[in-house]
Amino acid sequence: MTSRSVPWSQRLFDIVNILVLSLFGIAVAYPFFNLLALSLNDGADAARGGIYIFPRVFSLDAYKLLFENSKLLEGFGWSALRVAVGTSTSLFVTGLLAYIVSVRHFSGRKFLRVLFLVTMYFNGGLIPTYLLMVKLGLTDSFHVYWIPSLISAYYMLLMSSYISELPEALFESARIDGATELKIYIRLVLPMSLPVFAAIFIYSAVAHWNSWFDVVLYNSSGHYDTLQVYLRRLLLEVEASQQIMDQQLLHQKFNSLSPLTLRAATTIVVTAPILLVYPFLQKYFIGGLTIGSVKG
Amino acid sequence: MNYLKRFSRERQLWLLSLPIILWVLLFAYYPMYGLVIAFQNYIPGQSLFGNWIGFDNFVRFFNEPDFWMIIRNTLVISMLNLLIGFPAPILLALLLSEVKSKVFKKTIQSLSYVPYFISWVVVASILFTLLGSDGIINELLVRFGWIDKPILFLGEGKYFWGILTSANLWKDVGFSSIIYLSAIAGIDKEQYEAGRVDGLGRFGLVWHITLPNIRATIVLLFILALGGILNAGFEQQLLLGSPNTRDYHEVIDTYVYRFGVQLGNYSYGTAVGLMKSLIGLTLVITANRLSRKFMQTSIF
Amino acid sequence: MSRKGSVLGTAMLASVMLLSACGGNSSGNNSGNTASEGDSTTPAVEKVNEFGWKLPQKTTQIHFFQAEKGNPDKINRKQAAFHDYLLKEFNVDIQRSSLDVDPKEKLNLMLVSGDYPEVIAAMDESQISQWKAQGKIIDLAPLVDKYGPNLKKELGSRYETYLDADGKLWGLPRGWGYLPIPDFTAHIRWDWYQEIGAPEIKTPDDYYNVLKQIVAKHPTNDKGEKNYALSWNSDVRIDSALGFWGLKDGYKEDGDHNLTHWLNTAEGKEGLLYYNRFFREGLMDPDAFINKFDDWKIKFSNERIAGHIGPWWQSWNAGHEIWQKTDPDYKEDKRFVQMAFKAPDAEKAYLSAKNTHGWNYTVITDKAKNAEEIIKFLDFTVSPIGTRLMGWGIPNLPESYWNYEGDGKWSFNETQKQTLLDGKLDFEKTETANGSNSFWLAYPQGLLSDDNKSTAWFDQNFIADEKWKKLMNDNVKDTIYDNTEQRVSFTNENPLTIKNQQVEDLVKTGFVKVIMSQSEDEASRNFDELRDKANKLGLKDLEQYRTEEYKKNLALVK
């Protein structure tokens, strides 16, 4: 490509880097391919083990069985809605708070930071929280998925550490021009902080996507069961069965237990959507941002 | 007068904060009344204002026969996570940002957080297959003649810390690196141009431009990680541990779960949790002070 | 302004719109429950059905929570048909719900929030005492006196043992009675055993020698992987595994009914040293204590195990039930068979402990509007014909386990029976059709009182007809014993509860260490060390408490 000579040490570094990252890639990818192979294998055959990267007896039964449950699609819908609503509201409000606590001249800055920091360490525990949700009428409703998780102190700190690095003078001049704080947040801070918003978007989306405990706890009626709840059920069936003391019942339970392959398929089904969405977000932190262009 | 002036200048910010403050008071602070059960012998259903036993629950924790064992395990596991699990995502992010091929970079990046989605139940089952007495690892070790008898990796306590740290690292490193990647992406490209003009090499650019620019994020996450030093995991221990490894895998959370929640003693669990929180917060405040003093960075 | 910013903004806007849209349809969303709402107006004429059940004027509603972890999807699927049947034939609208969260936690939340159903099944004693103290459950004794003739009859003298000191009855037992079917025992790979001439096995040493011969003959499986003489998995209970030395659920009983924990007995030490011998000679699967059932199953089904100590169904599930499906040349004696033996000095082997008191209880809460009607139905389910119906499910369908002609005349469905005996019964499928065992509120797990033969478990009714089950039963029937009186409950008020847990923790770790010792001396040393530690922690207090409770329970029966 270039005629300029690249120092050998740099070239060596590139090679080593690619090697190290490739090895790392294999280590992280293997289990996924192992699960993929398992999920595509025949159930009875898989119980004998020894399946690594390729299925031994190919079968789509696990996926058929999984998608036979018509509520799975409904669950997927609730999950998607939860991610969309939960993540966007949380991102918007937490981002706003992060901006507020980053404004250097704001006297409530430290107060707000500490107010939220404390919530990272202290909570009232399961029972009072549950009672609060009941009192607010949030149980058995979709809103329990996003209102209680609207603001995260952790995300706030991460975002504000990024926002604090932005040139304050820019905001000051906007203020002088008569822009409201909300407008500064939306028109200036948001676009300049895209990388951190994208990162928190992923963290928050994944947290929403993976959560199941609040679903079974607050919406136990099953009206708003998310995808993760169905899949977790299949995954933890063995564990649940182990609590049964009665051996006669256990025999029947294990006879009708979902096979290993079905459990592998659940992991694939949960992971795949995120894997498909991620590349669209990657551009926000691969290329890098030129602040100058925003300033202009 | 001064106050009024200041307030009018900050009026908008306060107005915007108001609903946020109300939210946090309602959803985070109000339920904290539940912490009083730490000083009681609470049985669910009874009134929250009876059965006071003062600090008995706390005293009981210090008098547990296994107290030192679980403290040691908790601290060792956390320290290992901090020592290895904390810098690893930074390193990964830096290595990734040095890759020139976009396709390769994107592929590795996408793969790197796959493990985060694999639940511990599945991870445990994979590990048992790999590390079992006739798993691939033992097979290779025996074949190369490095050992003559399979090692019981998951059956002997002394390997547990290493296995747990590796598993945690493997599961979280990619996912944790996202925040650093975003911080690196936020660095103004002009800075690199200027660096190159100044004759900085690749390592120089990383050292003098990238690292200082993501320092704030690193320090912040490190301080927060210190605050979580008493959280050494829970599900992992329950799934990867076996009676053989109890002396190495039992940590505060697993212990309290079994002796508190499972035996119906909520107060005990709350008391230990409260203590953990206090220690965590104290560590964060101290670390924050030190950081402000020596690194001119602080989180509040 | 950047394009990127507007993308993000649009996404947020879109989701807000979605949110407002979802508010509209969320309430109309159908529940996972299978029930069609019961028709509460039934013919005014009193109707008695073929089971002798007098249909209530108004539909009796029993929507109960069962405090066990379960998969709600599966539960709903299984109960749907039976629910409809009972609604139509009995005018009883019964529905079970279980959740996949910790049931203890869920019960506590129900208690504090006041949001609980009329009937709750599977409560244990300490939960009952908690709910009783809050006045949330009702005394059933007066109702049973009035509407529970079958309950009184079936429980007989046992009824008194469920009453508290004031003569009140807070819960009806679930699954009481004696089921003479083995749970736990030793297993041997049958075809290999026959191959070496099936030498007699009477003592643990015989078992050891036979297994050793077998692995000498079959050192590896066809893939060249090592074969082990003995295996168990992480579910193994050492208390049961010491039954071969005459200990009852880990305790030795003397003539005066004093109980001594195995750590303080010579038998316990002998037993542990016995297992240690397998280990130190490389005959025991080194992963024996680590493997969870699923991982263990892989080893087992790959024919790498000659002997197994554990529950019988494990060797079925992980053995021939897989081989039948995957081995084209499968022959029926390629399987594990259960057998029993005892140490020479032991009077008897005690392997399957049976608690006839029941697993736990069903309670009626203060929310019940019509407790009498609920008790009436529960009383019906306790009668032999009622137990059959609840245990075997809907009769007279092709998928039914049984046929009912009325007037108490019934017979098994021969087709289903044959399928079962052939080992081909698909429980999942048939149970969805007939709903067997879906609503276990109150009935016995033991033999039914009218024929002293049938049990609520369909598949446990043909021991005599099923070759291999008969063999199992003949081999180990003497090792089944009634240990009802040995039951203790460690409630959260009991100061010994914590001590008990501490000792259990210690023993669970310690016994593994003893068995995994490299030499007999080391094993013996580890045993002594463990014993001293446990005694220091308070094992003696626990022994004393158990002895006291045991004697108290024995006195109750007399």
Side-chain angles (χ1 to χ4, degrees):
Chain A
M1 259 198 1
T2 68
S3 53
R4 258 192 301 165
S5 65
V6 181
W8 64 269
S9 66
Q10 296 213 9
R11 202 165 272 182
L12 183 71
F13 171 79
D14 275 332
I15 294 168
V16 172
N17 191 15
I18 298 272
L19 261 174
V20 168
L21 287 175
S22 301
L23 278 177
F24 169 74
I26 292 168
V28 286
Y30 166 71
F32 186 74
F33 287 104
N34 177 237
L35 289 170
L36 192 64
L38 258 178
S39 72
L40 291 170
N41 201 77
D42 176 68
D45 178 72
R48 303 186 56 204
I51 293 168
Y52 300 107
I53 298 178
F54 298 104
R56 190 165 46 214
V57 182
F58 184 82
S59 156
L60 282 173
D61 285 355
Y63 290 96
K64 267 189 210 143
L65 214 63
L66 208 57
F67 287 104
E68 224 170 57
N69 184 350
S70 57
K71 290 183 75 195
L72 203 71
L73 266 180
E74 204 185 298
F76 184 87
W78 286 122
S79 287
L81 190 66
R82 174 177 184 161
V83 169
V85 175
T87 308
S88 54
T89 51
S90 162
L91 215 57
F92 186 81
V93 180
T94 308
L96 177 63
L97 177 65
Y99 166 64
I100 293 172
V101 299
S102 308
V103 176
R104 288 203 184 90
H105 68 257
F106 180 42
S107 60
R109 193 172 163 223
K110 189 166 173 175
F111 161 73
L112 280 176
R113 279 175 181 254
V114 174
L115 189 72
F116 278 88
L117 187 80
V118 169
T119 66
M120 287 176 71
Y121 295 93
F122 295 96
N123 66 72
L126 188 67
I127 291 174
T129 313
Y130 181 82
L131 290 178
L132 177 67
M133 299 302 161
V134 173
K135 256 184 243 166
L136 294 175
L138 286 176
T139 49
D140 205 8
S141 88
F142 174 80
H143 302 301
V144 79
Y145 294 156
W146 66 278
I147 297 179
S149 57
L150 196 57
I151 302 168
S152 149
Y154 186 71
Y155 299 158
M156 170 198 88
L157 291 172
L158 282 173
M159 288 168 123
S160 85
S161 115
Y162 188 101
I163 295 172
S164 308
E165 305 272 309
L166 297 175
E168 175 101 7
L170 215 62
F171 309 145
E172 213 39 69
S173 66
R175 269 180 211 118
I176 292 164
D177 291 347
T180 62
E181 296 292 345
L182 197 61
K183 199 168 171 186
I184 294 174
Y185 169 59
I186 294 171
R187 303 292 282 279
L188 289 173
V189 176
L190 257 174
M192 287 168 77
S193 315
L194 277 179
V196 77
F197 271 74
I200 302 295
F201 179 87
I202 293 170
Y203 285 162
S204 167
V206 165
H208 276 293
W209 181 257
N210 279 348
S211 63
W212 59 274
F213 188 66
D214 56 350
V215 182
V216 280
L217 193 65
Y218 299 125
N219 287 341
S220 55
S221 67
H223 294 209
Y224 304 96
D225 277 357
T226 54
L227 183 67
Q228 194 61 254
V229 169
Y230 291 110
L231 301 178
R232 222 189 129 82
R233 267 173 207 157
L234 292 171
L235 215 57
L236 295 186
E237 224 171 7
V238 192
E239 203 191 314
S241 302
Q242 271 158 356
Q243 295 183 333
I244 299 169
M245 292 303 287
D246 186 73
Q247 301 296 332
Q248 318 309 322
L249 194 60
L250 267 175
H251 180 228
Q252 293 188 9
K253 277 262 172 188
F254 271 90
N255 249 314
S256 57
L257 194 68
S258 317
L260 209 61
T261 51
L262 188 63
R263 280 177 270 151
T266 63
T267 306
I268 302 291
V269 168
V270 174
T271 318
I274 305 265
L275 277 181
L276 294 177
V277 169
Y278 185 68
F280 294 102
L281 291 160
Q282 257 176 355
K283 62 172 180 231
Y284 292 111
F285 34 78
I286 272 204
L289 199 75
T290 317
I291 291 177
S293 71
V294 183
K295 280 188 230 160
Chain B
M1 190 59 209
N2 201 10
Y3 273 115
L4 268 178
K5 199 171 149 201
R6 190 158 187 181
F7 184 76
S8 79
R9 190 168 121 106
E10 293 176 357
R11 195 193 46 189
Q12 280 193 35
L13 288 169
W14 279 115
L15 264 175
L16 287 173
S17 310
L18 191 66
I20 291 175
I21 293 174
L22 288 178
W23 180 93
V24 77
L25 290 181
L26 181 62
F27 283 96
Y29 282 90
Y30 165 71
M32 283 186 200
Y33 71 83
L35 290 173
V36 300
I37 68 169
F39 307 95
Q40 302 172 344
N41 186 4
Y42 175 72
I43 294 165
Q46 80 173 19
S47 143
L48 268 176
F49 298 96
N51 236 337
W52 296 97
I53 53 167
F55 286 88
D56 283 10
N57 284 318
F58 297 86
V59 175
R60 184 186 136 194
F61 180 61
F62 290 105
N63 290 332
E64 291 289 358
D66 291 329
F67 178 76
W68 290 111
M69 186 258 280
I70 61 173
I71 292 294
R72 178 199 65 176
N73 293 345
T74 307
L75 288 180
V76 170
I77 292 171
S78 287
M79 291 294 185
L80 283 171
N81 281 337
L82 204 60
L83 235 78
I84 296 164
F86 185 78
I90 305 174
L91 188 68
L92 177 65
L94 291 176
L95 289 181
L96 276 171
S97 67
E98 290 301 313
V99 173
K100 290 194 189 99
S101 155
K102 271 200 171 161
V103 178
F104 181 76
K105 186 170 168 176
K106 278 194 173 186
T107 314
I108 295 294
Q109 213 175 310
S110 294
L111 288 175
S112 73
Y113 62 83
V114 166
Y116 187 82
F117 291 92
I118 300 179
S119 65
W120 275 111
V121 187
V122 178
V123 175
S125 142
I126 292 173
L127 280 177
F128 278 107
T129 319
L130 292 179
L131 297 173
S133 66
D134 38 38
I136 299 176
I137 307 284
N138 266 315
E139 212 177 294
L140 289 176
L141 290 177
V142 173
R143 191 166 297 169
F144 289 131
W146 288 344
I147 50 172
D148 44 58
K149 220 175 120 194
I151 296 175
L152 295 178
F153 288 107
L154 286 154
E156 281 183 56
K158 61 182 172 192
Y159 299 111
F160 191 81
W161 292 339
I163 291 170
L164 188 71
T165 309
S166 320
N168 278 329
L169 177 73
W170 171 81
K171 206 163 179 300
D172 293 336
V173 64
F175 199 66
S176 309
S177 71
I178 291 178
I179 191 70
Y180 296 110
L181 284 167
S182 90
I184 292 172
I187 300 169
D188 196 338
K189 277 183 176 161
E190 286 166 10
Q191 288 190 37
Y192 288 105
E193 291 302 326
R196 268 185 217 109
V197 172
D198 288 347
L200 286 177
R202 259 166 96 179
F203 302 105
L205 287 174
V206 169
W207 189 253
H208 293 288
I209 295 176
T210 312
L211 276 177
N213 267 296
I214 63 172
R215 199 186 63 167
T217 308
I218 296 176
V219 171
L220 164 71
L221 285 170
F222 187 76
I223 292 175
L224 293 180
L226 272 181
I229 199 98
L230 294 180
N231 301 324
F234 176 75
E235 212 185 350
Q236 305 89 302
Q237 271 84 352
L238 290 189
L239 287 163
L240 290 176
S242 58
N244 313 25
T245 58
R246 192 176 101 87
D247 291 344
Y248 294 84
H249 80 238
E250 190 92 270
V251 291
I252 297 179
D253 285 347
T254 55
Y255 192 80
V256 168
Y257 174 72
R258 291 188 310 110
F259 281 84
V261 178
Q262 284 197 329
L263 296 184
N265 195 339
Y266 283 81
S267 294
Y268 185 57
T270 308
V272 178
L274 190 61
M275 207 184 59
K276 273 178 57 190
S277 300
L278 281 171
I279 293 173
L281 196 60
T282 312
L283 280 170
V284 166
I285 292 170
T286 317
N288 190 55
R289 276 232 178 101
L290 292 173
S291 153
R292 188 165 41 206
K293 195 164 167 198
F294 295 109
M295 305 186 69
Q296 287 76 48
T297 322
S298 68
I299 63 176
F300 56 87
Chain C
M1 267 292 304
S2 80
R3 192 175 50 83
K4 289 171 183 173
S6 64
V7 171
L8 220 83
T10 321
M12 286 176 187
L13 196 71
S15 61
V16 171
M17 275 154 62
L18 269 171
L19 179 64
S20 50
C22 92
N25 69 23
S26 59
S27 55
N29 223 287
N30 211 340
S31 78
N33 294 334
T34 45
S36 49
E37 266 319 300
D39 205 334
S40 53
T41 50
T42 33
V45 203
E46 199 163 81
K47 203 182 136 198
V48 176
N49 74 6
E50 53 191 354
F51 294 93
W53 167 254
K54 210 191 286 169
L55 271 72
Q57 297 286 324
K58 207 172 149 264
T59 306
T60 303
Q61 206 190 50
I62 309 178
H63 289 185
F64 67 103
F65 173 68
Q66 185 161 318
E68 275 166 7
K69 236 185 196 177
N71 178 342
D73 304 334
K74 272 196 179 174
I75 291 166
N76 286 335
R77 206 183 320 137
K78 254 184 77 174
Q79 67 177 342
F82 200 22
H83 165 268
D84 295 348
Y85 175 86
L86 290 171
L87 184 62
K88 191 166 146 252
E89 305 288 328
F90 284 72
N91 201 18
V92 173
D93 171 16
I94 183 167
Q95 250 187 67
R96 166 189 165 191
S97 70
S98 283
L99 296 172
D100 38 9
V101 286
D102 184 356
K104 274 187 196 168
E105 214 146 66
K106 184 67 195 173
L107 277 181
N108 283 329
L109 291 176
M110 282 180 166
L111 182 64
V112 295
S113 67
D115 184 13
Y116 48 85
E118 296 187 4
V119 178
I120 301 174
M123 265 202 189
D124 66 24
E125 270 156 28
S126 82
Q127 281 151 353
I128 286 193
S129 76
Q130 210 171 309
W131 284 64
K132 181 175 86 181
Q134 304 291 317
K136 307 282 191 193
I137 53 177
I138 61 172
D139 172 20
L140 303 175
L143 293 168
V144 171
D145 286 342
K146 227 165 154 183
Y147 307 106
N150 289 313
L151 277 161
K152 285 243 163 131
K153 187 173 151 227
E154 296 297 327
L155 288 169
S157 61
R158 200 180 268 135
Y159 179 70
E160 308 289 323
T161 64
Y162 299 107
L163 301 177
D164 72 0
D166 307 324
K168 292 186 170 166
L169 179 69
W170 298 104
L172 294 174
R174 295 172 77 237
W176 75 84
Y178 187 76
L179 181 69
I181 284 176
D183 296 329
F184 188 95
T185 184
H187 304 65
I188 196 158
R189 173 73 185 258
W190 194 246
D191 49 346
W192 292 345
Y193 179 50
Q194 300 304 318
E195 210 177 72
I196 60 163
E200 197 176 27
I201 297 179
K202 291 189 97 167
T203 64
D205 284 335
D206 294 343
Y207 187 57
Y208 166 86
N209 288 325
V210 167
L211 291 179
K212 206 170 165 181
Q213 276 181 55
I214 291 178
V215 284
K217 208 154 181 235
H218 296 274
T220 64
N221 69 1
D222 54 5
K223 282 188 242 161
E225 292 167 320
K226 187 172 175 184
N227 194 4
Y228 293 105
L230 185 68
S231 161
W232 47 24
N233 55 53
S234 63
D235 297 339
V236 80
R237 291 190 65 242
I238 187 66
D239 291 352
S240 307
L242 290 173
F244 299 105
W245 286 266
L247 300 176
K248 289 179 171 173
D249 206 24
Y251 282 85
K252 184 179 178 175
E253 183 183 352
D254 70 7
D256 299 327
H257 304 305
N258 292 313
L259 298 175
T260 312
H261 188 269
W262 59 263
L263 266 174
N264 289 318
T265 64
E267 290 87 347
K269 190 165 187 175
E270 196 187 323
L272 252 59
L273 291 180
Y274 172 78
Y275 293 121
N276 166 250
R277 186 168 166 202
F278 280 98
F279 185 83
R280 59 174 198 263
E281 293 178 6
L283 292 169
M284 184 184 247
D285 172 11
D287 294 332
F289 303 96
I290 315 162
N291 272 343
K292 309 260 187 311
F293 182 74
D294 259 11
D295 305 299
W296 171 84
K297 193 170 165 177
I298 293 173
K299 203 168 259 181
F300 203 87
S301 63
N302 274 313
E303 304 186 39
R304 304 184 47 196
I305 282 157
H308 170 57
I309 289 182
W312 65 270
W313 61 267
Q314 293 191 337
S315 78
W316 285 45
N317 186 271
H320 68 265
E321 285 173 5
I322 291 185
W323 298 330
Q324 274 171 349
K325 288 183 210 152
T326 53
D327 182 353
D329 308 319
Y330 177 74
K331 286 191 193 58
E332 71 159 356
D333 61 350
K334 179 175 170 184
R335 65 165 62 233
F336 280 78
V337 167
Q338 291 67 27
M339 53 174 37
F341 44 81
K342 67 169 190 69
D345 301 334
E347 112 204 61
K348 205 168 155 312
Y350 294 101
L351 299 177
S352 302
K354 297 286 176 177
N355 178 356
T356 64
H357 198 71
W359 309 308
N360 42 41
Y361 305 87
T362 294
V363 302
I364 300 184
T365 67
D366 59 348
K367 296 227 168 147
K369 289 176 284 288
N370 216 340
E372 302 87 38
E373 295 300 323
I374 296 172
I375 284 288
K376 277 185 198 164
F377 185 69
L378 295 187
D379 185 62
F380 166 75
T381 66
V382 166
S383 68
I385 199 68
T387 303
R388 284 192 181 94
L389 179 67
M390 304 313 281
W392 302 339
I394 309 171
N396 307 330
L397 300 174
E399 300 91 349
S400 290
Y401 288 151
W402 65 313
N403 296 315
Y404 185 67
E405 298 163 36
D407 282 338
K409 276 208 263 332
W410 62 272
S411 57
F412 281 115
N413 178 340
E414 284 304 318
T415 330
Q416 292 285 45
K417 180 178 162 185
Q418 203 48 51
T419 325
L420 174 78
L421 294 184
D422 295 343
K424 296 204 172 102
L425 186 67
D426 182 348
F427 286 100
E428 182 83 22
K429 217 166 117 195
T430 53
E431 285 177 4
T432 307
N434 66 33
S436 63
N437 272 327
S438 277
F439 307 113
W440 197 313
L441 284 165
Y443 55 88
Q445 64 158 322
L447 305 178
L448 301 193
S449 62
D450 60 347
D451 62 0
N452 211 23
K453 204 166 82 192
S454 30
T455 83
W457 312 103
F458 170 67
D459 59 333
Q460 300 299 341
N461 281 295
F462 317 106
I463 305 290
D465 306 315
E466 215 180 331
K467 182 175 163 195
W468 298 106
K469 275 213 175 133
K470 185 173 185 309
L471 185 61
M472 153 159 84
N473 232 35
D474 290 348
N475 283 349
V476 302
K477 61 172 185 281
D478 293 338
T479 63
I480 307 169
Y481 66 106
D482 183 340
N483 82 333
T484 310
E485 273 58 64
Q486 232 181 296
R487 69 181 188 272
V488 281
S489 77
F490 285 100
T491 58
N492 49 15
E493 302 97 71
N494 187 340
L496 282 172
T497 302
I498 294 163
K499 206 172 263 186
N500 181 55
Q501 179 77 43
Q502 287 168 345
V503 171
E504 259 179 32
D505 274 357
L506 179 76
V507 172
K508 231 184 189 167
T509 317
F511 94 83
V512 174
K513 210 169 141 195
V514 176
I515 295 182
M516 288 175 71
S517 300
Q518 296 301 330
S519 69
E520 190 169 354
D521 279 353
E522 191 191 325
S524 171
R525 248 192 341 267
N526 283 336
F527 183 93
D528 295 344
E529 202 180 290
L530 175 64
R531 180 193 56 212
D532 297 343
K533 261 195 206 159
N535 285 334
K536 216 173 121 200
L537 254 183
L539 182 59
K540 292 279 180 196
D541 300 339
L542 291 166
E543 279 178 356
Q544 199 192 338
Y545 174 66
R546 282 184 187 266
T547 301
E548 280 164 15
E549 290 290 298
Y550 184 41
K551 289 182 178 169
K552 210 160 76 194
N553 288 334
L554 282 174
L556 218 60
V557 184
K558 276 169 201 162

